[in-house]
Coordinates of all heavy atoms in Angstrom, one line a residue:
M1 N -4.2 14.8 -5.2 CA -3.5 15.2 -4.0 C -2.2 14.4 -3.9 O -1.1 14.9 -3.5 CB -4.3 14.9 -2.8 CG -3.6 15.4 -1.5 SD -4.7 15.4 -0.2 CE -3.8 14.7 1.1
L2 N -2.2 13.1 -4.1 CA -1.0 12.3 -4.1 C 0.0 12.7 -5.1 O 1.2 12.8 -4.7 CB -1.4 10.8 -4.4 CG -0.3 9.8 -4.1 CD1 0.2 9.8 -2.7 CD2 -0.9 8.4 -4.3
R3 N -0.4 13.2 -6.2 CA 0.5 13.7 -7.2 C 1.2 14.9 -6.7 O 2.4 15.1 -6.9 CB -0.2 14.0 -8.5 CG 0.7 14.4 -9.6 CD 0.0 14.6 -11.0 NE -0.8 13.4 -11.3 CZ -2.0 13.5 -11.9 NH1 -2.5 14.7 -12.2 NH2 -2.6 12.4 -12.2
A4 N 0.4 15.8 -6.0 CA 1.0 17.0 -5.5 C 2.1 16.8 -4.4 O 3.1 17.4 -4.4 CB -0.1 17.9 -4.9
V5 N 1.8 15.8 -3.6 CA 2.8 15.4 -2.6 C 4.1 14.9 -3.2 O 5.2 15.2 -2.8 CB 2.2 14.3 -1.6 CG1 3.2 13.8 -0.7 CG2 1.1 15.0 -0.8
T6 N 3.9 14.0 -4.2 CA 5.0 13.5 -4.9 C 5.8 14.6 -5.6 O 7.1 14.6 -5.5 CB 4.6 12.4 -6.0 OG1 3.8 11.4 -5.3 CG2 5.7 11.8 -6.7
Q7 N 5.2 15.5 -6.3 CA 5.9 16.6 -6.9 C 6.6 17.5 -5.9 O 7.7 17.9 -6.2 CB 4.9 17.4 -7.8 CG 4.5 16.6 -9.0 CD 3.4 17.3 -9.8 OE1 2.8 18.3 -9.4 NE2 3.1 16.8 -11.0
A8 N 5.9 17.8 -4.8 CA 6.6 18.6 -3.8 C 7.8 17.9 -3.2 O 8.8 18.6 -3.0 CB 5.6 18.8 -2.6
A9 N 7.8 16.6 -3.1 CA 9.0 15.9 -2.6 C 10.1 15.9 -3.6 O 11.3 15.9 -3.2 CB 8.6 14.4 -2.3
L10 N 9.8 16.1 -4.9 CA 10.8 16.1 -5.9 C 11.6 17.5 -5.9 O 12.8 17.5 -6.2 CB 10.2 16.0 -7.3 CG 9.7 14.6 -7.7 CD1 9.0 14.6 -9.0 CD2 10.9 13.6 -7.7
V11 N 10.9 18.5 -5.5 CA 11.5 19.9 -5.5 C 12.0 20.3 -4.1 O 12.7 21.3 -4.0 CB 10.6 20.9 -6.1 CG1 10.3 20.6 -7.6 CG2 9.3 21.1 -5.3
D12 N 11.6 19.7 -3.1 CA 12.0 20.1 -1.7 C 12.6 18.9 -1.0 O 11.8 18.0 -0.5 CB 10.8 20.7 -1.0 CG 11.1 21.3 0.4 OD1 12.0 20.7 1.1 OD2 10.5 22.3 0.7
E13 N 13.9 18.9 -0.7 CA 14.6 17.8 -0.1 C 14.0 17.5 1.3 O 13.9 16.4 1.7 CB 16.1 18.0 -0.1 CG 16.7 17.9 -1.5 CD 18.2 18.0 -1.4 OE1 18.8 17.6 -0.4 OE2 18.8 18.5 -2.4
E14 N 13.8 18.6 2.1 CA 13.3 18.4 3.4 C 11.9 17.8 3.4 O 11.6 16.9 4.2 CB 13.2 19.8 4.2 CG 12.8 19.7 5.6 CD 13.6 18.7 6.5 OE1 14.8 18.6 6.2 OE2 13.0 18.1 7.4
F15 N 11.1 18.2 2.5 CA 9.7 17.6 2.4 C 9.8 16.1 2.0 O 9.1 15.3 2.5 CB 8.9 18.4 1.4 CG 7.4 17.9 1.4 CD1 6.6 18.2 2.4 CD2 7.0 17.1 0.3 CE1 5.3 17.7 2.4 CE2 5.7 16.7 0.3 CZ 4.8 17.0 1.3
A16 N 10.8 15.8 1.1 CA 11.0 14.4 0.7 C 11.4 13.6 1.9 O 11.0 12.4 2.1 CB 12.1 14.4 -0.4
R17 N 12.3 14.1 2.7 CA 12.7 13.4 3.9 C 11.5 13.2 4.9 O 11.4 12.1 5.4 CB 13.9 14.1 4.7 CG 15.2 13.9 4.0 CD 16.3 14.4 4.9 NE 16.4 15.9 4.9 CZ 16.9 16.6 4.0 NH1 17.5 16.1 2.9 NH2 16.9 17.9 4.2
L18 N 10.7 14.2 5.0 CA 9.5 14.1 5.9 C 8.6 13.0 5.4 O 8.1 12.2 6.2 CB 8.9 15.5 6.0 CG 7.6 15.5 6.8 CD1 7.9 15.3 8.3 CD2 6.9 16.9 6.6
T19 N 8.3 13.0 4.1 CA 7.3 12.0 3.6 C 7.9 10.6 3.6 O 7.2 9.7 3.9 CB 6.9 12.4 2.1 OG1 8.1 12.4 1.3 CG2 6.2 13.7 2.0
S20 N 9.2 10.5 3.5 CA 9.9 9.2 3.6 C 9.8 8.7 5.0 O 9.5 7.5 5.2 CB 11.4 9.4 3.2 OG 12.0 8.1 3.3
R21 N 10.0 9.5 6.0 CA 9.9 9.1 7.4 C 8.4 8.7 7.7 O 8.2 7.7 8.4 CB 10.3 10.2 8.4 CG 11.8 10.3 8.4 CD 12.3 11.2 9.6 NE 11.6 12.5 9.7 CZ 12.1 13.6 9.1 NH1 13.3 13.6 8.5 NH2 11.5 14.7 9.2
F22 N 7.5 9.4 7.2 CA 6.1 9.1 7.4 C 5.7 7.8 6.8 O 5.1 6.9 7.4 CB 5.2 10.2 6.8 CG 3.7 9.9 6.9 CD1 3.0 10.0 8.1 CD2 3.0 9.4 5.7 CE1 1.7 9.7 8.1 CE2 1.7 9.1 5.8 CZ 1.0 9.3 7.0
T23 N 6.2 7.6 5.5 CA 5.9 6.3 4.8 C 6.5 5.1 5.6 O 5.9 4.1 5.8 CB 6.4 6.4 3.4 OG1 5.8 7.4 2.7 CG2 6.2 5.1 2.7
A24 N 7.8 5.3 6.0 CA 8.5 4.2 6.8 C 7.7 3.9 8.1 O 7.5 2.7 8.4 CB 9.9 4.6 7.1
G25 N 7.2 4.9 8.7 CA 6.4 4.7 10.0 C 5.1 4.0 9.7 O 4.8 3.1 10.5
Q26 N 4.5 4.3 8.6 CA 3.2 3.6 8.2 C 3.5 2.2 7.9 O 2.8 1.3 8.3 CB 2.6 4.3 7.0 CG 2.1 5.7 7.3 CD 1.0 5.7 8.4 OE1 0.0 5.0 8.3 NE2 1.2 6.5 9.4
L27 N 4.6 1.9 7.2 CA 5.0 0.5 6.8 C 5.2 -0.3 8.1 O 4.8 -1.4 8.2 CB 6.2 0.5 5.9 CG 5.9 0.9 4.5 CD1 7.3 1.0 3.7 CD2 5.0 -0.1 3.8
D28 N 6.0 0.3 9.0 CA 6.3 -0.4 10.3 C 5.1 -0.8 11.0 O 5.0 -1.9 11.6 CB 7.2 0.5 11.2 CG 8.6 0.6 10.6 OD1 9.0 -0.2 9.8 OD2 9.3 1.5 11.1
E29 N 4.1 0.1 11.1 CA 2.8 -0.2 11.8 C 2.1 -1.4 11.2 O 1.5 -2.2 11.9 CB 1.9 1.0 11.8 CG 2.4 2.1 12.8 CD 1.5 3.3 12.9 OE1 0.2 3.1 12.7 OE2 1.9 4.4 13.2
V30 N 2.1 -1.4 9.8 CA 1.3 -2.5 9.2 C 2.1 -3.8 9.2 O 1.5 -4.9 9.3 CB 1.0 -2.1 7.7 CG1 0.3 -3.2 7.0 CG2 0.1 -0.8 7.7
V31 N 3.4 -3.7 9.2 CA 4.2 -5.0 9.2 C 3.9 -5.7 10.5 O 3.9 -7.0 10.5 CB 5.8 -4.6 9.1 CG1 6.6 -5.8 9.5 CG2 6.1 -4.2 7.7
D32 N 3.7 -5.1 11.6 CA 3.3 -5.7 12.8 C 2.1 -6.6 12.7 O 2.0 -7.6 13.3 CB 3.0 -4.7 13.9 CG 4.3 -4.0 14.4 OD1 5.4 -4.5 14.1 OD2 4.1 -3.0 15.1
H33 N 1.2 -6.3 11.8 CA -0.1 -7.0 11.6 C 0.2 -8.4 10.8 O -0.7 -9.2 10.9 CB -1.1 -6.2 10.8 CG -1.6 -5.1 11.6 ND1 -2.5 -5.2 12.7 CD2 -1.4 -3.7 11.5 CE1 -2.7 -4.0 13.2 NE2 -2.1 -3.1 12.5
V34 N 1.3 -8.5 10.1 CA 1.5 -9.7 9.4 C 2.5 -10.6 10.1 O 2.9 -11.7 9.6 CB 2.0 -9.5 7.9 CG1 0.9 -8.8 7.1 CG2 3.3 -8.7 7.9
D35 N 3.0 -10.2 11.3 CA 4.0 -11.0 12.0 C 3.5 -12.4 12.4 O 4.2 -13.3 12.4 CB 4.4 -10.3 13.3 CG 5.4 -9.2 13.0 OD1 6.0 -9.2 12.0 OD2 5.6 -8.3 13.9
G36 N 2.2 -12.5 12.6 CA 1.6 -13.8 13.0 C 1.2 -14.7 11.9 O 0.7 -15.8 12.1
F37 N 1.5 -14.3 10.7 CA 1.1 -15.1 9.5 C 1.8 -16.5 9.5 O 1.1 -17.5 9.3 CB 1.4 -14.4 8.2 CG 0.4 -13.5 7.7 CD1 -0.3 -12.6 8.6 CD2 0.0 -13.4 6.4 CE1 -1.3 -11.8 8.2 CE2 -1.0 -12.6 5.9 CZ -1.6 -11.7 6.8
E38 N 3.1 -16.6 9.8 CA 3.8 -17.8 9.8 C 3.2 -18.8 10.8 O 3.0 -20.0 10.5 CB 5.3 -17.6 10.0 CG 6.1 -18.9 9.8 CD 7.6 -18.6 9.9 OE1 8.0 -17.6 9.4 OE2 8.2 -19.5 10.5
A39 N 2.9 -18.3 12.0 CA 2.3 -19.1 13.1 C 1.0 -19.7 12.7 O 0.5 -20.7 13.1 CB 2.3 -18.3 14.4
A40 N 0.3 -18.9 11.8 CA -1.1 -19.3 11.4 C -1.0 -20.3 10.1 O -2.0 -20.6 9.5 CB -1.9 -18.1 11.0
G41 N 0.2 -20.6 9.7 CA 0.4 -21.5 8.6 C 0.4 -20.8 7.3 O 0.2 -21.4 6.2
L42 N 0.5 -19.5 7.3 CA 0.5 -18.7 6.0 C 1.9 -18.3 5.7 O 2.7 -18.0 6.5 CB -0.4 -17.5 6.2 CG -1.8 -17.7 6.5 CD1 -2.5 -16.4 6.9 CD2 -2.5 -18.4 5.4
R43 N 2.2 -18.3 4.4 CA 3.5 -17.8 3.9 C 3.4 -16.6 3.0 O 2.7 -16.6 2.0 CB 4.1 -19.0 3.1 CG 5.6 -18.9 3.1 CD 6.2 -20.2 2.5 NE 6.9 -19.8 1.3 CZ 6.9 -20.4 0.2 NH1 6.2 -21.5 0.0 NH2 7.6 -19.9 -0.9
L44 N 4.0 -15.5 3.5 CA 4.0 -14.3 2.7 C 4.7 -14.5 1.4 O 5.7 -15.3 1.3 CB 4.6 -13.1 3.5 CG 3.8 -12.7 4.7 CD1 4.6 -11.7 5.6 CD2 2.5 -12.1 4.3
P45 N 4.4 -13.7 0.4 CA 5.1 -13.8 -0.9 C 6.6 -13.4 -0.8 O 7.4 -13.7 -1.7 CB 4.3 -12.9 -1.9 CG 3.6 -12.0 -1.0 CD 3.4 -12.7 0.3
S46 N 7.0 -12.6 0.2 CA 8.3 -12.1 0.4 C 8.5 -11.8 1.9 O 7.7 -12.3 2.7 CB 8.5 -10.9 -0.5 OG 9.9 -10.5 -0.5
T47 N 9.5 -11.1 2.2 CA 9.7 -10.7 3.6 C 8.4 -9.9 4.0 O 7.7 -9.3 3.2 CB 10.9 -9.9 3.8 OG1 10.8 -8.6 3.2 CG2 12.2 -10.6 3.4
A48 N 8.2 -9.8 5.3 CA 7.1 -9.0 5.8 C 7.1 -7.6 5.3 O 6.2 -7.0 4.8 CB 7.0 -9.0 7.3
E49 N 8.3 -7.0 5.4 CA 8.5 -5.6 5.0 C 8.2 -5.4 3.5 O 7.6 -4.5 3.0 CB 9.9 -5.1 5.3 CG 10.2 -5.0 6.8 CD 10.6 -6.3 7.4 OE1 10.8 -7.3 6.7 OE2 10.6 -6.3 8.7
T50 N 8.8 -6.3 2.7 CA 8.6 -6.2 1.2 C 7.1 -6.5 0.8 O 6.6 -5.8 0.0 CB 9.5 -7.2 0.5 OG1 10.9 -6.9 0.9 CG2 9.4 -7.1 -1.0
S51 N 6.5 -7.5 1.5 CA 5.1 -7.8 1.2 C 4.2 -6.6 1.5 O 3.3 -6.2 0.7 CB 4.7 -9.0 2.0 OG 5.4 -10.2 1.6
V52 N 4.5 -5.9 2.6 CA 3.7 -4.8 3.0 C 4.0 -3.6 2.0 O 3.1 -2.9 1.6 CB 3.8 -4.4 4.4 CG1 3.2 -3.1 4.8 CG2 3.3 -5.5 5.3
A53 N 5.2 -3.4 1.7 CA 5.6 -2.4 0.7 C 4.9 -2.6 -0.6 O 4.4 -1.6 -1.2 CB 7.1 -2.3 0.6
M54 N 4.8 -3.8 -1.1 CA 4.1 -4.1 -2.3 C 2.7 -3.7 -2.2 O 2.1 -3.2 -3.2 CB 4.3 -5.6 -2.7 CG 5.7 -5.9 -3.2 SD 5.9 -7.5 -3.9 CE 5.9 -8.5 -2.5
M55 N 2.1 -4.0 -1.1 CA 0.7 -3.7 -0.8 C 0.5 -2.2 -0.9 O -0.4 -1.7 -1.6 CB 0.2 -4.2 0.5 CG -1.2 -3.9 0.9 SD -1.7 -4.3 2.5 CE -0.8 -3.1 3.5
F56 N 1.3 -1.4 -0.2 CA 1.3 0.1 -0.3 C 1.4 0.6 -1.7 O 0.7 1.5 -2.1 CB 2.4 0.7 0.6 CG 2.0 0.9 2.0 CD1 1.7 -0.1 2.9 CD2 1.9 2.2 2.6 CE1 1.3 0.1 4.2 CE2 1.6 2.4 3.9 CZ 1.3 1.4 4.7
L57 N 2.3 0.0 -2.4 CA 2.6 0.5 -3.8 C 1.4 0.2 -4.7 O 1.0 1.0 -5.6 CB 3.8 -0.1 -4.4 CG 5.1 0.4 -3.7 CD1 6.3 -0.5 -4.1 CD2 5.4 1.8 -4.1
L58 N 0.7 -0.9 -4.5 CA -0.5 -1.3 -5.2 C -1.6 -0.3 -5.0 O -2.2 0.2 -5.9 CB -0.9 -2.7 -4.9 CG -2.3 -3.1 -5.4 CD1 -2.3 -3.2 -6.9 CD2 -2.7 -4.4 -4.7
V59 N -1.8 0.0 -3.7 CA -2.8 1.0 -3.3 C -2.5 2.3 -4.0 O -3.4 3.0 -4.6 CB -2.9 1.1 -1.8 CG1 -3.8 2.3 -1.4 CG2 -3.4 -0.2 -1.2
R60 N -1.3 2.7 -3.9 CA -0.9 4.0 -4.5 C -1.1 4.0 -6.0 O -1.6 5.0 -6.6 CB 0.6 4.3 -4.2 CG 1.0 5.7 -4.7 CD 2.4 5.9 -4.3 NE 2.8 7.2 -4.9 CZ 3.7 8.0 -4.3 NH1 4.3 7.6 -3.3 NH2 4.0 9.2 -4.9
A61 N -0.7 3.0 -6.7 CA -0.9 2.9 -8.1 C -2.4 2.9 -8.5 O -2.7 3.6 -9.5 CB -0.2 1.6 -8.7
L62 N -3.2 2.2 -7.8 CA -4.6 2.2 -8.1 C -5.2 3.6 -7.9 O -6.0 4.1 -8.7 CB -5.4 1.2 -7.3 CG -6.9 1.1 -7.6 CD1 -7.1 0.6 -9.0 CD2 -7.6 0.2 -6.6
L63 N -4.8 4.3 -6.8 CA -5.3 5.6 -6.5 C -4.9 6.6 -7.7 O -5.7 7.4 -8.2 CB -4.7 6.1 -5.2 CG -5.1 7.6 -4.8 CD1 -6.6 7.8 -4.7 CD2 -4.4 8.0 -3.5
E64 N -3.6 6.5 -8.1 CA -3.2 7.3 -9.2 C -4.0 7.0 -10.5 O -4.3 8.0 -11.2 CB -1.7 7.1 -9.5 CG -0.8 7.7 -8.4 CD 0.7 7.5 -8.6 OE1 1.1 6.8 -9.6 OE2 1.4 7.9 -7.7
A65 N -4.2 5.8 -10.8 CA -5.0 5.4 -12.0 C -6.4 6.0 -11.9 O -6.9 6.5 -13.0 CB -5.1 3.9 -12.2
V66 N -7.0 6.0 -10.8 CA -8.4 6.6 -10.6 C -8.3 8.1 -10.8 O -9.1 8.7 -11.5 CB -9.0 6.2 -9.3 CG1 -10.3 7.0 -9.1 CG2 -9.3 4.7 -9.3
E67 N -7.3 8.7 -10.1 CA -7.1 10.2 -10.2 C -6.9 10.6 -11.6 O -7.3 11.7 -12.1 CB -6.0 10.6 -9.3 CG -6.3 10.7 -7.9 CD -5.2 11.2 -7.0 OE1 -4.0 11.3 -7.5 OE2 -5.4 11.5 -5.8
E68 N -6.1 9.8 -12.4 CA -5.8 10.2 -13.8 C -6.9 9.8 -14.8 O -6.8 10.1 -16.0 CB -4.5 9.5 -14.2 CG -3.3 10.1 -13.4 CD -2.0 9.3 -13.7 OE1 -2.0 8.4 -14.5 OE2 -1.0 9.7 -13.0
G69 N -7.9 9.1 -14.3 CA -9.1 8.8 -15.2 C -8.8 7.5 -16.0 O -9.6 7.2 -16.9
V70 N -7.8 6.8 -15.7 CA -7.5 5.5 -16.4 C -8.5 4.5 -16.0 O -8.9 3.7 -16.8 CB -6.1 5.0 -16.0 CG1 -5.8 3.6 -16.6 CG2 -5.0 6.0 -16.5
L71 N -8.9 4.5 -14.7 CA -10.0 3.6 -14.2 C -11.1 4.5 -13.6 O -10.8 5.5 -13.0 CB -9.4 2.7 -13.1 CG -8.4 1.7 -13.6 CD1 -7.8 1.0 -12.3 CD2 -9.1 0.6 -14.5
V72 N -12.3 3.9 -13.7 CA -13.4 4.6 -13.1 C -13.9 3.6 -12.0 O -14.5 2.6 -12.3 CB -14.6 5.0 -14.1 CG1 -15.7 5.6 -13.3 CG2 -14.0 5.9 -15.2
L73 N -13.7 4.0 -10.7 CA -14.1 3.2 -9.6 C -14.6 4.1 -8.5 O -14.1 5.2 -8.3 CB -12.9 2.4 -9.0 CG -12.3 1.3 -9.8 CD1 -11.0 0.9 -9.1 CD2 -13.2 0.2 -10.0
D74 N -15.7 3.7 -7.9 CA -16.1 4.5 -6.7 C -15.3 3.9 -5.5 O -14.6 2.9 -5.6 CB -17.6 4.5 -6.5 CG -18.2 3.1 -6.2 OD1 -17.5 2.2 -5.7 OD2 -19.4 2.9 -6.6
D75 N -15.5 4.6 -4.3 CA -14.7 4.2 -3.2 C -15.0 2.7 -2.8 O -14.1 1.9 -2.4 CB -15.0 5.1 -2.0 CG -14.4 6.5 -2.2 OD1 -13.5 6.6 -3.1 OD2 -14.7 7.4 -1.4
E76 N -16.3 2.3 -2.8 CA -16.6 1.0 -2.4 C -16.0 -0.1 -3.3 O -15.5 -1.1 -2.9 CB -18.2 0.8 -2.4 CG -18.7 -0.5 -1.9 CD -20.2 -0.6 -1.9 OE1 -20.8 0.5 -1.6 OE2 -20.7 -1.7 -2.1
Q77 N -16.0 0.2 -4.6 CA -15.4 -0.8 -5.6 C -13.9 -0.9 -5.4 O -13.3 -2.0 -5.4 CB -15.7 -0.3 -7.0 CG -17.1 -0.4 -7.4 CD -17.4 0.3 -8.8 OE1 -16.8 1.4 -9.0 NE2 -18.2 -0.4 -9.6
A78 N -13.3 0.3 -5.2 CA -11.8 0.3 -5.0 C -11.4 -0.5 -3.7 O -10.5 -1.3 -3.7 CB -11.3 1.7 -4.9
V79 N -12.1 -0.2 -2.6 CA -11.8 -0.9 -1.3 C -12.1 -2.4 -1.4 O -11.2 -3.2 -1.0 CB -12.6 -0.2 -0.2 CG1 -12.5 -1.1 1.1 CG2 -12.1 1.2 0.1
A80 N -13.2 -2.8 -2.0 CA -13.5 -4.2 -2.1 C -12.5 -4.9 -3.0 O -12.0 -6.0 -2.7 CB -14.9 -4.4 -2.7
G81 N -12.1 -4.3 -4.1 CA -11.2 -4.9 -5.0 C -9.8 -5.0 -4.4 O -9.1 -6.1 -4.5
L82 N -9.3 -3.9 -3.8 CA -8.0 -3.9 -3.2 C -7.9 -4.9 -2.0 O -7.0 -5.6 -1.9 CB -7.7 -2.5 -2.7 CG -7.1 -1.6 -3.7 CD1 -7.1 -0.1 -3.1 CD2 -5.8 -2.0 -4.2
T83 N -9.0 -4.9 -1.2 CA -9.0 -5.8 -0.1 C -8.9 -7.3 -0.5 O -8.0 -8.0 0.0 CB -10.3 -5.7 0.7 OG1 -10.4 -4.3 1.2 CG2 -10.3 -6.6 1.9
R84 N -9.6 -7.7 -1.5 CA -9.6 -9.1 -2.0 C -8.3 -9.4 -2.6 O -7.7 -10.4 -2.4 CB -10.8 -9.3 -2.9 CG -10.9 -10.7 -3.3 CD -12.2 -11.0 -4.0 NE -12.5 -12.4 -4.0 CZ -13.6 -12.9 -4.5 NH1 -14.5 -12.1 -5.0 NH2 -13.8 -14.2 -4.4
F85 N -7.8 -8.5 -3.5 CA -6.5 -8.7 -4.2 C -5.3 -8.8 -3.2 O -4.5 -9.7 -3.3 CB -6.3 -7.5 -5.2 CG -5.1 -7.8 -6.1 CD1 -5.3 -8.5 -7.3 CD2 -3.9 -7.3 -5.8 CE1 -4.3 -8.7 -8.2 CE2 -2.8 -7.5 -6.7 CZ -3.0 -8.2 -7.9
V86 N -5.3 -7.9 -2.2 CA -4.2 -7.9 -1.2 C -4.3 -9.1 -0.4 O -3.3 -9.8 -0.1 CB -4.2 -6.6 -0.4 CG1 -3.3 -6.7 0.8 CG2 -3.8 -5.4 -1.3
Y87 N -5.5 -9.5 0.1 CA -5.7 -10.7 0.9 C -5.2 -11.9 0.2 O -4.5 -12.7 0.7 CB -7.2 -10.8 1.3 CG -7.5 -12.0 2.2 CD1 -7.3 -11.9 3.6 CD2 -7.9 -13.2 1.7 CE1 -7.5 -13.0 4.4 CE2 -8.1 -14.3 2.5 CZ -7.9 -14.2 3.9 OH -8.1 -15.2 4.7
R88 N -5.6 -12.1 -1.1 CA -5.1 -13.2 -1.9 C -3.6 -13.2 -2.0 O -2.9 -14.2 -1.9 CB -5.7 -13.2 -3.3 CG -7.1 -13.7 -3.4 CD -7.6 -13.6 -4.8 NE -8.8 -14.3 -5.0 CZ -9.4 -14.3 -6.2 NH1 -8.9 -13.8 -7.2 NH2 -10.6 -14.9 -6.3
G89 N -3.1 -12.0 -2.3 CA -1.6 -11.9 -2.4 C -0.8 -12.2 -1.2 O 0.2 -12.9 -1.2
L90 N -1.3 -11.8 0.0 CA -0.6 -12.0 1.2 C -0.9 -13.4 1.8 O 0.0 -14.0 2.4 CB -1.0 -11.0 2.3 CG -0.6 -9.6 2.0 CD1 -1.1 -8.6 3.1 CD2 0.9 -9.4 1.9
T91 N -2.0 -14.0 1.5 CA -2.4 -15.3 2.2 C -2.4 -16.5 1.2 O -2.4 -17.6 1.7 CB -3.7 -15.2 2.9 OG1 -4.8 -15.0 1.9 CG2 -3.8 -14.1 3.9
G92 N -2.5 -16.2 -0.1 CA -2.7 -17.3 -1.0 C -4.1 -17.9 -1.0 O -4.3 -18.9 -1.6
R93 N -5.0 -17.2 -0.3 CA -6.4 -17.7 -0.2 C -7.4 -16.7 -0.6 O -7.1 -15.5 -0.7 CB -6.6 -18.0 1.3 CG -5.7 -19.0 2.0 CD -6.1 -19.1 3.4 NE -5.2 -20.1 4.1 CZ -5.2 -20.3 5.4 NH1 -6.0 -19.6 6.2 NH2 -4.4 -21.2 5.9
D94 N -8.5 -17.2 -0.9 CA -9.7 -16.3 -1.2 C -10.6 -16.4 -0.1 O -10.6 -17.4 0.7 CB -10.4 -16.8 -2.5 CG -11.2 -15.7 -3.1 OD1 -11.3 -14.5 -2.6 OD2 -11.9 -15.9 -4.1
Y95 N -11.4 -15.3 0.2 CA -12.3 -15.4 1.3 C -13.7 -15.5 0.8 O -14.0 -15.5 -0.3 CB -12.2 -14.1 2.2 CG -12.3 -12.8 1.4 CD1 -13.6 -12.3 1.2 CD2 -11.2 -12.1 1.1 CE1 -13.7 -11.1 0.5 CE2 -11.4 -10.9 0.4 CZ -12.6 -10.4 0.1 OH -12.8 -9.2 -0.5

């Protein structure tokens, strides 16, 4: 499905603008969640916006790898692995 959305955005400029606005809105909502990191003594790997964008891109890349059969993961494995990887990347800590 993600591939279809990407391909549709390539051929339809209006759809590309719509998906871009949606993605920007999603990023803005998540950036708010990392605003308190500095006060908690945590240092993001980059700006809040860039750190969250990297997280989104990682999720998308993993989803594409699973869809293309490069990796075989069930939902539980994907969520657990992504959660731990992103948490480590954003906080520099393991849980």
Side-chain angles (χ1 to χ4, degrees):
M1 181 167 139
L2 191 54
R3 186 178 307 142
V5 170
T6 301
Q7 289 175 346
L10 289 173
V11 297
D12 186 322
E13 288 183 34
E14 181 58 31
F15 187 73
R17 282 190 289 278
L18 177 67
T19 59
S20 180
R21 284 193 307 267
F22 175 77
T23 300
Q26 295 296 309
L27 286 172
D28 289 343
E29 286 183 28
V30 177
V31 166
D32 289 345
H33 293 287
V34 298
D35 282 343
F37 274 42
E38 189 174 320
L42 300 170
R43 205 169 118 224
L44 292 170
S46 187
T47 66
E49 293 81 8
T50 302
S51 297
V52 170
M54 287 187 286
M55 179 187 71
F56 269 65
L57 292 167
L58 170 68
V59 170
R60 182 178 181 152
L62 184 64
L63 177 61
E64 287 177 2
V66 171
E67 284 182 346
E68 293 173 3
V70 175
L71 293 171
V72 178
L73 296 171
D74 62 29
D75 289 348
E76 186 176 324
Q77 292 170 318
V79 169
L82 279 169
T83 300
R84 189 168 197 177
F85 190 86
V86 168
Y87 183 83
R88 281 180 170 181
L90 293 178
T91 67
R93 301 176 179 174
D94 198 0
Y95 55 82

